[in-house]
Amino acid sequence: MKVVCPVCNRLFEAECTPYKEIVEEMIYYFDTEMCLLVFRKEPEKFIYKCK
């Protein structure tokens, strides 16, 4: 499954990354460990609220 990293906006295969985070029952996938660490510092900056 192709996903987009919320931090760097890079398209990649979700199955190819060990970096993921669950926030409010939503799984976010990250291209690199650095992206995951940036996300963890300020998740509200990268989470988009959909109605």
Side-chain angles (χ1 to χ4, degrees), residues 15 25 34 43:
E15 296 84 11
E25 300 180 20
M34 184 60 83

Side-chain angles (χ1 to χ4, degrees), residues 3-40:
V3 294
V4 175
C5 177
V7 177
C8 70
N9 292 317
R10 191 173 308 157
L11 183 68
F12 65 99
E13 293 288 338
E15 296 84 11
C16 295
T17 184
Y19 309 113
K20 50 184 127 177
E21 186 83 3
I22 300 173
V23 178
E24 298 177 11
E25 300 180 20
M26 176 73 91
I27 301 173
Y28 294 89
Y29 296 92
F30 303 93
D31 192 30
T32 65
E33 182 179 18
M34 184 60 83
C35 288
L36 175 59
L37 296 174
V38 169
F39 180 85
R40 284 182 176 167

